[in-house]
Amino acid sequence: MTSSDNAQPGPPPAKAPAKDPWELPDVSGLVVGVLGGTGDQGRGLAYRLARAGQKVIIGSRAADRAASAAAELGLGVEGADNAECARRSDIVIIAVPWDGHAATLESLRDELRGKIVVDCVNPLGFDKKGAYALKPEEGSAAEQAAALLPESRVTAAFHHLSAVLLQDASIEEIDTDVMVLGEARADTDTVQALAARIPGMRGVFAGRLRNAHQVESLVANLISVNRRYKAHAGLRVTDV
């Protein structure tokens, strides 16, 4: 028997300390594309991010329409057709109408390959009773995006923001949290950091894409809140 046979096992290796969930990457150098950037929500997001110092390109089906909207926004925002916007951007926000969501993404599969795609589309219907949530076959708009863009890094965020507040130049801060969903922590961290570029805003991780439906659907409730109280309601998550 050798001396090594009598050796006692050493202590187990120490576990690496848990990562601070608020330790987020620097995203200031990323180019952000906004597909649907000529609509109210897309234009508002483009304006806020550009105002925070982000390089922004807005996309539209018509390049001249995108260029006109970009010129109105100023702040170094550029306009391009959707394909060029997607190609030139590091991270792409999808802010198109729900009825054009699938067709737009299908047409840009190549341009969006490998990129972080942030879906903020809310599938909603409207009738005389007000807004109500639609349930896409895939489960949510974000899950539809993931199915159509298997080689992209799909996340979901920016659903609950008031386009009126986003576009109001007199408002310095947007007092709200942004629920961020996705499959890879590095991607959701990046989107959280992007949200935090806008003063007053905070990105909060809210689960995987399978949980996107209820986040998208909550917009119908916020529309009811806004109509009753003449407000532009957002969300705050407590105790985090």
Side-chain angles (χ1 to χ4, degrees), residues 56-141:
V56 176
I57 303 171
I58 59 176
S60 175
R61 286 177 296 178
D64 56 347
R65 187 178 176 200
S68 176
E72 291 175 9
L73 289 176
L75 300 169
V77 176
E78 295 183 41
D81 63 45
N82 283 333
E84 182 181 352
C85 173
R87 275 194 302 269
R88 292 177 55 197
S89 301
D90 300 306
I91 182 169
V92 180
I93 298 173
I94 310 301
V96 299
W98 167 241
D99 58 7
H101 183 261
T104 299
L105 297 185
E106 282 179 324
S107 71
L108 298 171
R109 185 173 294 152
D110 289 341
E111 290 82 0
L112 293 171
R113 183 178 289 116
K115 299 183 187 254
I116 296 180
V117 173
V118 187
D119 202 299
C120 69
V121 175
N122 302 302
L124 297 176
F126 295 87
D127 59 20
K128 62 183 180 180
K129 295 182 180 180
Y132 60 94
L134 302 176
K135 186 69 176 285
E137 182 180 346
E138 298 84 356
S140 64

Side-chain angles (χ1 to χ4, degrees), residues 149-161:
L149 303 172
E151 296 181 80
S152 299
R153 296 146 62 191
V154 176
T155 64
F158 300 118
H159 301 90
H160 306 136
L161 306 181

